[in-house]
Amino acid sequence: MNVFIIEDEELAVRKLTKLLQDVDPTIQIVGTAASVRASVSWLEANSPGQPSAPDLILMDIELADGQSFEIFEQTTVTAPVIFTTSYDEYALRAFKVNSIDYLLKPIKRHELEASLQKHRRLNAAAPPETGSPMSIDALVQQLRQQVAPAEHRRRFLVRHLSQWVPVDVSDIAYFYSEEGVSLFRTRSNQKYPVDYTLDELEAMLNPNQFFRANRQFIIDINSVQQIHPYFNNKLKLTLKPAPDDEVLVSRERATEFKKWMGK
């Protein structure tokens, strides 16, 4: 069986390749791609009838240049697809009931094996031309709506001296509260006030990028330089640029913080 892997993390490609070959040594990895653009180019060059045309595609949802749903908009995908993703089962329930499978990362051998067996059963029960495309367009649209990222704040317009200054969120190291005023500090160590509470800011920001460490700080993941064990199972953070006050992660949030940092 020819398998095409669409995944933008090289380590994940190596692990998945090894897992596939452990499960079924007859599997041939005929190609890999890390982006929407590369995937479309590869699929168009390896269309049905070509020796390297895939019998099955393993496709990550988040790629280097966008979401893999865009592949279906740019080219015809005739091979069955197994999505590999970090999204939870609730969001992807449609795939199970419509006979298009998915694997949650980290991928486990027995789950991969079950998906391959399911593919073989479906392939044997229906001719290839009616297997994959049966409802893929509808499912892609449904899943796109379910897992589409929320619209997160991209910049703030703040007052500096006698003028207004736009600051991109990517330039912000952390938000914090000081004497009832919300502020943020940039990576270049500039400080600006903002007219939002930390609760309001937390709702505006991408949770993959920002974490509410405590009631006084919302920190950007790239600002964390060191993590130290602290009294009573708390964590003490070293941030860059250094804040005026120490930043502690509470005992209740420590486990969640470590998971966030390790994503």
Side-chain angles (χ1 to χ4, degrees):
M1 177 168 58
N2 289 348
V3 175
F4 178 44
I5 298 175
I6 300 176
E7 165 65 63
D8 65 349
E9 294 185 18
E10 186 177 344
L11 180 59
V13 172
R14 292 201 300 267
K15 288 183 176 180
L16 186 53
T17 298
K18 183 178 186 305
L19 199 54
L20 283 164
Q21 293 173 341
D22 286 346
V23 169
D24 184 350
T26 66
I27 285 177
Q28 297 291 321
I29 308 300
V30 291
T32 64
S35 66
V36 172
R37 182 177 180 181
S39 300
V40 171
S41 296
W42 191 95
L43 288 167
E44 291 181 346
N46 296 272
S47 56
Q50 299 289 331
S52 56
D55 301 305
L56 179 67
I57 300 172
L58 273 74
M59 182 184 293
D60 190 16
I61 288 180
E62 297 292 342
L63 300 175
D65 58 347
Q67 293 185 324
S68 59
F69 308 127
E70 297 171 33
I71 296 170
F72 298 93
E73 298 172 354
Q74 298 180 33
T75 191
T76 300
V77 179
T78 57
V81 174
I82 296 175
F83 285 90
T84 60
T85 179
S86 300
Y87 290 110
D88 61 28
E89 184 172 357
Y90 177 79
L92 297 171
R93 189 175 300 164
F95 280 83
K96 283 294 186 186
V97 299
N98 287 280
S99 300
I100 295 178
D101 218 345
Y102 72 93
L103 295 169
L104 289 176
K105 295 180 179 179
I107 298 171
K108 299 177 177 60
R109 178 187 172 122
H110 71 278
E111 293 174 346
L112 175 61
E113 194 164 9
S115 290
L116 293 175
Q117 289 173 353
K118 179 178 181 179
H119 161 65
R120 293 189 185 97
R121 290 196 306 271
L122 292 172
N123 197 48
E129 61 270 21
T130 61
S132 172
M134 55 181 177
S135 56
I136 186 68
D137 291 339
L139 287 174
V140 165
Q141 291 304 317
Q142 183 177 354
L143 186 60
R144 182 194 288 276
Q145 293 173 2
Q146 290 175 324
V147 302
E151 187 67 28
H152 301 299
R153 193 68 176 256
R154 291 180 294 179
R155 66 184 60 85
F156 289 86
L157 189 64
V158 295
R159 193 167 188 87
H160 180 64
L161 300 177
S162 60
Q163 60 185 345
W164 292 94
V165 180
V167 180
D168 286 347
V169 168
S170 59
D171 292 330
I172 298 174
Y174 48 83
F175 297 81
Y176 62 104
S177 176
E178 187 177 86
E179 297 181 349
V181 177
S182 298
L183 308 99
F184 65 76
R185 185 163 290 183
T186 65
R187 302 191 195 286
S188 59
N189 208 18
Q190 296 296 310
K191 182 171 69 173
Y192 298 99
V194 285
D195 294 327
Y196 300 101
T197 67
L198 289 191
D199 286 343
E200 291 171 334
L201 289 166
E202 185 179 10
M204 298 176 186
L205 300 168
N206 185 343
N208 292 324
Q209 194 70 23
F210 288 89
F211 185 88
R212 184 71 177 268
N214 53 47
R215 298 305 302 169
Q216 286 76 43
F217 279 87
I218 301 174
I219 60 174
D220 173 77
I221 197 166
N222 296 310
S223 70
V224 181
Q225 301 298 298
Q226 293 180 329
I227 304 169
H228 309 275
Y230 198 72
F231 175 75
N232 202 22
N233 294 321
K234 297 178 182 179
L235 299 173
K236 183 176 180 179
L237 307 182
T238 300
L239 305 181
K240 184 178 180 181
D244 297 328
D245 300 319
E246 65 179 11
V247 180
L248 301 178
V249 179
S250 69
R251 178 180 59 185
E252 293 76 14
R253 304 219 68 194
T255 298
E256 184 182 353
F257 172 80
K258 287 186 281 189
K259 288 181 180 178
W260 175 73
M261 283 295 300
K263 283 183 179 178

